[in-house]
Amino acid sequence: MAQKNNPLDNPAEPAAAIVRVLLVLVAVGYAVSILLAVVGIGSFHPFGSDVLCEESSGVTQRSLEMDGLRPGTDAHVLEIRFCAKPVTGEQRVLWGVANHLGTVVNIGLLAFAHRLVSAVRDSGLHTALTARRLRVLGWLLVLGCTAASLIETVARSAFLSSLLDPARYSWSWYAPWEFPVWPLILGCVLLSLARIIRIGSEMQKDLEGTV
């Protein structure tokens, strides 16, 4: 009879396997995108595209003419797609930050999560190294995701402002900002867990010294 896997062999599972799979998928996705751009089949946004578009619901509202509406009802378009063609260098940078900064932050979180699960696998759970890396990952979620979402909002607003006439539209950059609630909550949980693990590691050292 085959022996079941002992969870004490690697307490970081299944998180370690999930992180590895996600890192491989991200690497393959970017490699394919770059390869297609090199051979001329696709484009590696925002550098190889002739048209860059951004959707926004905070600029204006338009009535929509459509069949099938009951008497006394209206249809309105809230989400409008704005496109730049030709695209300037500044617009490429702003669009790239607005649409890819979050992906870069997520890749960084995955990479550091891989370091965390490696520390758990090699050194154990109740160690100062695990607590330190867990604390860094928590702060990356709390501060990194908040800063990234704010920077994305500012870049997206600046891109839209480059397409609209400032004399007709007064654009508020903070209007479309969505505060990253769940990364903040998860980061705080990881910070608390890091403190618990650090206390546990110190207690374990005291016990070993006593024995």
Side-chain angles (χ1 to χ4, degrees):
M1 181 180 295
Q3 185 179 0
K4 293 183 178 180
N5 293 330
N6 187 0
L8 296 179
D9 294 338
N10 187 3
E13 294 293 352
I18 295 174
V19 169
R20 287 194 298 267
V21 170
L22 291 176
L23 284 174
V24 170
L25 290 177
V26 169
V28 171
Y30 272 94
V32 171
S33 298
I34 295 175
L35 180 62
L36 292 177
V38 171
V39 299
I41 298 178
S43 62
F44 192 65
H45 282 288
F47 306 105
S49 179
D50 296 331
V51 181
L52 294 178
C53 299
E54 191 67 46
E55 295 180 355
S56 175
S57 59
V59 177
T60 185
Q61 176 176 307
R62 290 287 185 268
S63 297
L64 179 64
E65 297 291 339
M66 63 178 295
D67 298 330
L69 292 177
R70 292 180 179 272
T73 59
D74 296 322
H76 298 277
V77 177
L78 296 178
E79 196 78 11
I80 302 177
R81 188 175 182 86
F82 298 92
C83 297
K85 183 180 180 180
V87 187
T88 65
E90 180 183 2
Q91 288 173 335
R92 293 185 187 276
V93 173
L94 292 174
W95 191 94
V97 172
N99 291 274
H100 290 291
L101 180 60
T103 302
V104 173
V105 172
N106 290 333
I107 294 175
L109 290 173
L110 281 176
F112 205 87
H114 184 265
R115 295 191 62 191
L116 172 62
V117 296
S118 298
V120 175
R121 180 195 60 203
D122 298 335
S123 304
L125 180 61
H126 297 284
T127 62
L129 177 62
T130 299
R132 183 167 61 253
R133 291 187 178 179
L134 191 61
R135 184 170 61 252
V136 173
L137 184 59
W139 280 118
L140 286 176
L141 282 169
V142 172
L143 299 180
C145 291
T146 302
S149 65
L150 185 60
I151 294 173
E152 283 179 342
T153 302
V154 174
R156 183 171 292 107
S157 300
F159 177 81
L160 291 173
S161 297
S162 68
L163 305 179
L164 300 174
D165 184 2
R168 299 187 59 185
Y169 295 99
S170 179
W171 182 255
S172 299
W173 66 266
Y174 53 84
W177 185 36
E178 296 181 0
F179 188 78
V181 178
W182 287 110
L184 179 63
I185 295 176
L186 180 58
C188 291
V189 171
L190 293 183
L191 290 175
S192 299
L193 185 59
R195 177 174 296 183
I196 294 172
I197 293 177
R198 180 173 59 84
I199 294 174
S201 65
E202 293 176 355
M203 293 178 62
Q204 185 176 2
K205 289 181 180 179
D206 293 340
L207 289 175
E208 292 175 353
T210 303
V211 173

